[in-house]
Amino acid sequence: MARRANIPKRDRAPLIRPAADTGLGRVLKTKQVVQIADIQRVPGYAANPVQAPIVQLAGARTMLSVPMLKEQELLGVIEFYRTDVRPFTNKQIELVKNFAAQAVIAIENTRLLNELRESLDRQTATADILRVIAGRPEDSKRALDTIAETASRMFDTANVNFRRLEGNVLRMVSSAGPSVSKLREVAP
Protein backbone atom coordinates (compact mmCIF):
# COMPACT_ATOMS: atom_id res chain seq x y z
CA MET A 1 0.00 0.00 0.00
CA ALA A 2 2.85 2.43 0.76
CA ARG A 3 4.12 1.96 -2.75
CA ARG A 4 0.80 3.16 -4.24
CA ALA A 5 0.87 6.35 -2.15
CA ASN A 6 3.81 7.62 -4.22
CA ILE A 7 1.99 7.22 -7.53
CA PRO A 8 0.42 10.45 -8.77
CA LYS A 9 -3.28 10.06 -9.53
CA ARG A 10 -4.34 11.23 -12.97
CA ASP A 11 -6.91 13.61 -11.51
CA ARG A 12 -4.26 15.20 -9.29
CA ALA A 13 -1.58 15.29 -12.01
CA PRO A 14 -3.48 15.44 -15.30
CA LEU A 15 -0.73 17.37 -17.07
CA ILE A 16 2.47 15.61 -17.96
CA ARG A 17 5.64 16.88 -19.50
CA PRO A 18 7.05 13.84 -21.22
CA ALA A 19 10.75 13.31 -21.60
CA ALA A 20 12.03 13.77 -25.15
CA ASP A 21 12.91 10.07 -25.54
CA THR A 22 9.43 8.76 -24.62
CA GLY A 23 6.72 7.99 -27.14
CA LEU A 24 4.75 11.08 -26.16
CA GLY A 25 7.85 13.28 -26.27
CA ARG A 26 8.75 12.06 -29.73
CA VAL A 27 5.17 12.45 -31.04
CA LEU A 28 5.07 16.02 -29.72
CA LYS A 29 8.26 16.79 -31.60
CA THR A 30 7.63 14.92 -34.88
CA LYS A 31 3.82 14.51 -35.12
CA GLN A 32 4.58 11.00 -36.36
CA VAL A 33 3.66 7.51 -35.13
CA VAL A 34 6.20 6.26 -32.59
CA GLN A 35 6.70 2.64 -31.61
CA ILE A 36 9.12 1.66 -28.88
CA ALA A 37 9.86 -2.05 -28.73
CA ASP A 38 10.84 -2.01 -25.03
CA ILE A 39 10.12 1.10 -22.97
CA GLN A 40 11.93 -0.41 -19.99
CA ARG A 41 15.12 0.47 -21.87
CA VAL A 42 14.11 4.14 -22.28
CA PRO A 43 15.43 6.35 -19.45
CA GLY A 44 12.66 8.95 -19.90
CA TYR A 45 9.97 6.60 -18.60
CA ALA A 46 11.71 5.75 -15.34
CA ALA A 47 12.65 9.41 -14.73
CA ASN A 48 9.10 10.81 -15.12
CA PRO A 49 6.99 10.38 -11.95
CA VAL A 50 3.75 10.30 -13.95
CA GLN A 51 4.96 7.82 -16.57
CA ALA A 52 7.12 5.60 -14.34
CA PRO A 53 4.12 3.66 -12.94
CA ILE A 54 3.33 2.42 -16.45
CA VAL A 55 6.65 0.62 -16.39
CA GLN A 56 6.91 -0.20 -12.69
CA LEU A 57 3.38 -1.30 -11.84
CA ALA A 58 1.70 -2.07 -15.13
CA GLY A 59 4.75 -3.81 -16.56
CA ALA A 60 4.52 -2.00 -19.88
CA ARG A 61 7.05 -3.07 -22.46
CA THR A 62 6.08 -2.30 -26.07
CA MET A 63 4.52 1.15 -26.55
CA LEU A 64 2.71 2.57 -29.57
CA SER A 65 1.98 6.33 -29.65
CA VAL A 66 -0.20 7.64 -32.49
CA PRO A 67 -0.83 11.36 -33.04
CA MET A 68 -4.34 12.74 -33.46
CA LEU A 69 -3.89 15.37 -36.16
CA LYS A 70 -6.22 17.94 -37.68
CA GLU A 71 -4.59 19.62 -40.66
CA GLN A 72 -1.13 18.92 -39.21
CA GLU A 73 -2.14 20.40 -35.82
CA LEU A 74 -1.59 17.95 -32.98
CA LEU A 75 -4.79 17.59 -30.94
CA GLY A 76 -3.75 14.62 -28.84
CA VAL A 77 -2.15 11.18 -28.78
CA ILE A 78 -3.52 7.65 -28.52
CA GLU A 79 -1.19 5.29 -26.70
CA PHE A 80 -1.20 1.51 -26.45
CA TYR A 81 1.16 -0.69 -24.53
CA ARG A 82 1.78 -4.38 -24.20
CA THR A 83 3.23 -6.16 -21.21
CA ASP A 84 5.53 -8.19 -23.41
CA VAL A 85 8.10 -7.17 -25.99
CA ARG A 86 6.03 -7.63 -29.14
CA PRO A 87 5.95 -4.80 -31.66
CA PHE A 88 2.67 -3.83 -33.29
CA THR A 89 2.24 -4.87 -36.93
CA ASN A 90 1.85 -2.39 -39.78
CA LYS A 91 -1.81 -3.46 -40.11
CA GLN A 92 -2.40 -2.75 -36.41
CA ILE A 93 -0.67 0.62 -36.68
CA GLU A 94 -2.83 1.57 -39.68
CA LEU A 95 -5.95 0.62 -37.73
CA VAL A 96 -4.87 2.75 -34.77
CA LYS A 97 -4.18 5.66 -37.15
CA ASN A 98 -7.75 5.22 -38.35
CA PHE A 99 -8.96 5.32 -34.72
CA ALA A 100 -6.98 8.54 -34.25
CA ALA A 101 -8.61 10.09 -37.32
CA GLN A 102 -12.05 9.10 -36.01
CA ALA A 103 -11.21 10.60 -32.62
CA VAL A 104 -10.29 13.89 -34.32
CA ILE A 105 -13.64 13.86 -36.13
CA ALA A 106 -15.45 13.25 -32.82
CA ILE A 107 -13.54 16.09 -31.12
CA GLU A 108 -14.24 18.45 -34.02
CA ASN A 109 -17.94 17.50 -34.10
CA THR A 110 -18.20 18.21 -30.37
CA ARG A 111 -16.52 21.59 -30.83
CA LEU A 112 -18.83 22.51 -33.71
CA LEU A 113 -21.91 21.36 -31.81
CA ASN A 114 -20.90 23.45 -28.79
CA GLU A 115 -20.34 26.49 -31.03
CA LEU A 116 -23.74 25.92 -32.63
CA ARG A 117 -25.42 25.69 -29.22
CA GLU A 118 -23.72 28.90 -28.07
CA SER A 119 -24.80 30.67 -31.25
CA LEU A 120 -28.36 29.44 -30.83
CA ASP A 121 -28.36 30.58 -27.19
CA ARG A 122 -27.21 34.06 -28.26
CA GLN A 123 -29.84 34.24 -31.01
CA THR A 124 -32.58 33.06 -28.64
CA ALA A 125 -31.54 35.60 -26.02
CA THR A 126 -31.54 38.40 -28.59
CA ALA A 127 -34.96 37.31 -29.88
CA ASP A 128 -36.38 37.23 -26.33
CA ILE A 129 -35.13 40.76 -25.64
CA LEU A 130 -36.45 42.09 -28.96
CA ARG A 131 -39.82 40.44 -28.31
CA VAL A 132 -40.12 42.23 -24.94
CA ILE A 133 -39.12 45.57 -26.47
CA ALA A 134 -41.58 45.15 -29.36
CA GLY A 135 -44.39 44.00 -27.07
CA ARG A 136 -44.16 46.94 -24.67
CA PRO A 137 -42.00 49.68 -26.17
CA GLU A 138 -43.13 52.12 -23.45
CA ASP A 139 -41.85 49.84 -20.65
CA SER A 140 -38.06 50.17 -20.54
CA LYS A 141 -37.94 48.57 -17.05
CA ARG A 142 -39.34 45.29 -18.42
CA ALA A 143 -36.81 45.33 -21.29
CA LEU A 144 -33.92 46.03 -18.91
CA ASP A 145 -35.11 43.26 -16.55
CA THR A 146 -35.21 40.83 -19.47
CA ILE A 147 -31.73 41.85 -20.62
CA ALA A 148 -30.36 41.52 -17.07
CA GLU A 149 -31.97 38.08 -16.59
CA THR A 150 -30.71 36.88 -19.96
CA ALA A 151 -27.19 38.21 -19.37
CA SER A 152 -27.02 36.66 -15.90
CA ARG A 153 -28.06 33.27 -17.29
CA MET A 154 -25.81 33.40 -20.37
CA PHE A 155 -22.68 34.50 -18.54
CA ASP A 156 -23.35 32.51 -15.36
CA THR A 157 -23.03 35.56 -13.14
CA ALA A 158 -24.30 36.08 -9.61
CA ASN A 159 -25.71 39.47 -10.48
CA VAL A 160 -26.26 41.92 -13.35
CA ASN A 161 -27.10 45.54 -12.57
CA PHE A 162 -28.37 48.33 -14.77
CA ARG A 163 -27.78 51.79 -13.36
CA ARG A 164 -29.02 54.98 -14.94
CA LEU A 165 -27.22 58.28 -14.61
CA GLU A 166 -29.47 60.95 -13.12
CA GLY A 167 -27.51 64.14 -12.72
CA ASN A 168 -24.34 62.99 -11.02
CA VAL A 169 -25.96 59.99 -9.28
CA LEU A 170 -26.31 56.45 -10.55
CA ARG A 171 -29.73 54.97 -9.79
CA MET A 172 -30.35 51.21 -9.88
CA VAL A 173 -33.05 50.60 -12.49
CA SER A 174 -32.81 46.83 -12.97
CA SER A 175 -31.06 43.88 -11.40
CA ALA A 176 -31.12 40.14 -11.97
CA GLY A 177 -29.27 37.01 -10.98
CA PRO A 178 -29.22 34.45 -8.17
CA SER A 179 -27.87 36.89 -5.58
CA VAL A 180 -30.59 39.51 -6.23
CA SER A 181 -33.23 37.74 -4.10
CA LYS A 182 -30.71 37.28 -1.26
CA LEU A 183 -29.80 40.97 -1.41
CA ARG A 184 -33.48 41.98 -1.40
CA GLU A 185 -34.07 39.88 1.74
CA VAL A 186 -31.44 41.78 3.72
CA ALA A 187 -32.04 45.24 2.23
CA PRO A 188 -33.74 47.75 4.58
Side-chain angles (χ1 to χ4, degrees), residues 5-95:
N6 295 331
I7 299 169
K9 290 194 174 218
R10 293 281 184 221
D11 59 346
R12 279 192 264 150
L15 301 176
I16 61 171
R17 288 176 177 75
D21 60 347
T22 64
L24 286 176
R26 290 167 49 192
V27 168
L28 288 173
K29 183 177 180 182
T30 67
K31 298 181 185 175
Q32 300 293 316
V33 172
V34 174
Q35 178 163 216
I36 301 173
D38 190 355
I39 67 171
Q40 290 187 5
R41 297 178 186 264
V42 177
Y45 284 98
N48 188 311
V50 176
Q51 293 180 309
I54 293 171
V55 176
Q56 296 167 357
L57 294 178
R61 299 298 297 263
T62 298
M63 177 74 72
L64 178 65
S65 304
V66 178
M68 296 178 351
L69 299 170
K70 179 185 175 221
E71 299 173 6
Q72 291 305 307
E73 178 188 352
L74 185 66
L75 299 183
V77 180
I78 300 176
E79 281 197 305
F80 292 79
Y81 70 85
R82 290 185 166 145
T83 56
D84 56 336
V85 177
R86 186 169 42 101
F88 293 85
T89 67
N90 288 338
K91 273 181 139 177
Q92 291 170 330
I93 292 170
E94 287 304 313
L95 184 58

